[in-house]
Amino acid sequence: MAHPEKYPFYKIEDREGCEDGSFRIYKIMIDSDDGRAYEKLSTDAERLDYMRAHAHDSWKVAQVDSVFYEDRVEGKTYIIKKDTPEYEGLKKLHRKDDSSWLPGTKEFDDMVQYYKDYATSVEERPSSPCK
Protein backbone atom coordinates (compact mmCIF):
# COMPACT_ATOMS: atom_id res chain seq x y z
CA MET A 1 0.00 0.00 0.00
CA ALA A 2 1.09 3.58 -0.54
CA HIS A 3 2.19 5.52 2.52
CA PRO A 4 -0.87 7.34 3.87
CA GLU A 5 1.30 9.78 5.80
CA LYS A 6 2.86 10.99 2.53
CA TYR A 7 -0.02 10.80 0.04
CA PRO A 8 -3.77 11.43 0.30
CA PHE A 9 -4.45 8.21 -1.64
CA TYR A 10 -3.67 4.53 -1.87
CA LYS A 11 -2.32 3.26 -5.17
CA ILE A 12 -1.52 -0.11 -6.67
CA GLU A 13 0.03 -1.28 -9.95
CA ASP A 14 -1.77 -3.83 -12.13
CA ARG A 15 0.67 -5.68 -14.40
CA GLU A 16 -1.59 -8.63 -15.22
CA GLY A 17 -2.22 -9.16 -18.93
CA CYS A 18 0.27 -6.50 -20.03
CA GLU A 19 2.52 -7.90 -22.73
CA ASP A 20 4.32 -4.75 -23.83
CA GLY A 21 5.82 -3.77 -20.46
CA SER A 22 3.02 -1.31 -19.79
CA PHE A 23 0.84 -1.42 -16.67
CA ARG A 24 -2.13 0.33 -15.08
CA ILE A 25 -2.06 2.31 -11.83
CA TYR A 26 -5.22 2.57 -9.73
CA LYS A 27 -5.79 5.15 -7.02
CA ILE A 28 -8.32 5.51 -4.17
CA MET A 29 -8.49 8.53 -1.86
CA ILE A 30 -7.68 7.54 1.75
CA ASP A 31 -10.27 9.84 3.31
CA SER A 32 -13.26 8.17 1.63
CA ASP A 33 -15.54 5.20 2.24
CA ASP A 34 -13.63 3.30 -0.45
CA GLY A 35 -10.31 4.20 1.15
CA ARG A 36 -11.43 2.99 4.57
CA ALA A 37 -12.70 -0.27 3.05
CA TYR A 38 -9.44 -0.71 1.10
CA GLU A 39 -7.40 -0.23 4.27
CA LYS A 40 -9.09 -3.28 5.86
CA LEU A 41 -8.06 -5.65 3.06
CA SER A 42 -5.20 -7.95 3.97
CA THR A 43 -3.77 -9.39 0.73
CA ASP A 44 -2.45 -7.81 -2.45
CA ALA A 45 -4.87 -9.92 -4.51
CA GLU A 46 -7.84 -8.54 -2.54
CA ARG A 47 -6.50 -5.01 -2.86
CA LEU A 48 -6.02 -5.30 -6.62
CA ASP A 49 -9.52 -6.72 -7.14
CA TYR A 50 -10.99 -3.95 -4.99
CA MET A 51 -9.05 -1.25 -6.84
CA ARG A 52 -10.20 -2.55 -10.21
CA ALA A 53 -13.82 -2.21 -9.10
CA HIS A 54 -13.68 0.98 -6.99
CA ALA A 55 -10.74 3.12 -8.19
CA HIS A 56 -11.27 6.87 -8.10
CA ASP A 57 -8.70 7.29 -10.86
CA SER A 58 -6.50 5.10 -13.05
CA TRP A 59 -4.05 5.51 -15.88
CA LYS A 60 -1.91 3.36 -18.11
CA VAL A 61 1.85 3.65 -17.92
CA ALA A 62 3.70 2.81 -21.12
CA GLN A 63 7.27 1.59 -21.11
CA VAL A 64 9.54 2.62 -23.95
CA ASP A 65 11.25 -0.14 -25.90
CA SER A 66 14.10 1.95 -27.30
CA VAL A 67 16.28 5.03 -26.84
CA PHE A 68 17.31 7.47 -29.52
CA TYR A 69 19.59 10.31 -30.53
CA GLU A 70 18.19 12.85 -32.98
CA ASP A 71 20.71 14.58 -35.20
CA ARG A 72 18.75 17.54 -36.49
CA VAL A 73 21.54 18.81 -38.72
CA GLU A 74 21.91 15.48 -40.53
CA GLY A 75 18.16 14.90 -40.39
CA LYS A 76 18.49 11.44 -38.85
CA THR A 77 17.27 9.72 -35.72
CA TYR A 78 19.48 6.90 -34.47
CA ILE A 79 17.52 4.31 -32.50
CA ILE A 80 18.81 1.58 -30.20
CA LYS A 81 16.35 -1.04 -28.94
CA LYS A 82 16.46 -1.91 -25.26
CA ASP A 83 17.34 -5.48 -24.25
CA THR A 84 19.94 -5.75 -27.03
CA PRO A 85 23.73 -6.00 -26.92
CA GLU A 86 23.84 -2.53 -28.53
CA TYR A 87 21.86 -1.08 -25.64
CA GLU A 88 24.11 -2.73 -23.07
CA GLY A 89 27.11 -1.14 -24.83
CA LEU A 90 25.42 2.27 -24.81
CA LYS A 91 24.76 2.05 -21.07
CA LYS A 92 28.50 1.70 -20.49
CA LEU A 93 28.96 5.18 -21.99
CA HIS A 94 26.52 6.80 -19.56
CA ARG A 95 27.28 8.26 -16.17
CA LYS A 96 26.97 6.08 -13.07
CA ASP A 97 23.44 7.44 -12.48
CA ASP A 98 22.50 6.33 -16.05
CA SER A 99 22.26 9.90 -17.34
CA SER A 100 23.99 11.17 -20.46
CA TRP A 101 27.04 13.40 -20.44
CA LEU A 102 26.57 17.05 -21.35
CA PRO A 103 26.96 18.19 -24.97
CA GLY A 104 30.42 19.50 -25.70
CA THR A 105 32.20 16.84 -23.63
CA LYS A 106 34.31 14.05 -25.10
CA GLU A 107 32.02 11.53 -23.40
CA PHE A 108 28.95 13.01 -25.12
CA ASP A 109 30.72 12.92 -28.49
CA ASP A 110 31.65 9.26 -27.86
CA MET A 111 27.99 8.48 -27.10
CA VAL A 112 26.80 10.18 -30.31
CA GLN A 113 29.35 8.22 -32.33
CA TYR A 114 28.18 5.01 -30.66
CA TYR A 115 24.60 5.75 -31.72
CA LYS A 116 25.78 6.31 -35.29
CA ASP A 117 27.89 3.13 -35.34
CA TYR A 118 25.54 0.75 -33.53
CA ALA A 119 21.96 2.00 -34.07
CA THR A 120 19.51 -0.87 -34.48
CA SER A 121 17.63 1.41 -36.90
CA VAL A 122 18.00 4.86 -38.46
CA GLU A 123 15.09 7.05 -39.52
CA GLU A 124 15.32 9.97 -41.90
CA ARG A 125 14.00 13.26 -40.55
CA PRO A 126 13.62 16.61 -42.28
CA SER A 127 16.75 18.70 -41.80
CA SER A 128 16.55 21.51 -39.30
CA PRO A 129 16.45 25.05 -40.68
CA CYS A 130 18.84 26.02 -37.85
CA LYS A 131 22.28 24.98 -39.03
Side-chain angles (χ1 to χ4, degrees):
M1 277 193 295
H3 307 289
E5 66 278 0
K6 290 182 88 173
Y7 306 104
F9 54 85
Y10 293 113
K11 70 177 180 176
I12 193 167
E13 294 179 5
D14 183 358
R15 294 180 181 268
E16 291 180 21
C18 297
E19 299 168 6
D20 59 357
S22 64
F23 57 94
R24 182 161 291 282
I25 294 179
Y26 295 100
K27 180 172 81 169
I28 287 180
M29 300 306 292
I30 291 171
D31 190 18
S32 68
D33 291 341
D34 291 327
R36 287 182 279 283
Y38 180 83
E39 185 175 17
K40 294 175 184 173
L41 301 173
S42 58
T43 68
D44 287 341
E46 290 175 318
R47 291 183 187 111
L48 181 56
D49 287 341
Y50 190 84
M51 277 285 197
R52 286 175 176 155
H54 301 279
H56 297 166
D57 194 9
S58 71
W59 59 92
K60 187 174 182 178
V61 177
Q63 301 290 326
V64 297
D65 67 349
S66 57
V67 294
F68 66 92
Y69 171 74
E70 187 173 335
D71 188 325
R72 293 183 178 163
V73 174
E74 289 184 12
K76 294 182 180 181
T77 300
Y78 299 90
I79 302 164
I80 295 179
K81 290 273 192 188
K82 288 186 170 183
D83 300 323
T84 63
E86 292 83 3
Y87 180 69
E88 292 305 314
L90 177 65
K91 285 176 25 178
K92 293 176 184 174
L93 298 173
H94 285 169
R95 293 177 169 187
K96 289 184 182 185
D97 67 357
D98 203 32
S99 65
S100 297
W101 294 92
L102 296 175
T105 63
K106 179 189 179 320
E107 293 85 355
F108 181 84
D109 293 342
D110 290 346
M111 180 193 70
V112 169
Q113 191 59 51
Y114 187 89
Y115 268 103
K116 291 179 178 184
D117 293 343
Y118 296 100
T120 52
S121 63
V122 179
E123 295 179 3
E124 297 291 327
R125 298 282 189 228
S127 293
S128 170
C130 305
K131 290 186 179 184

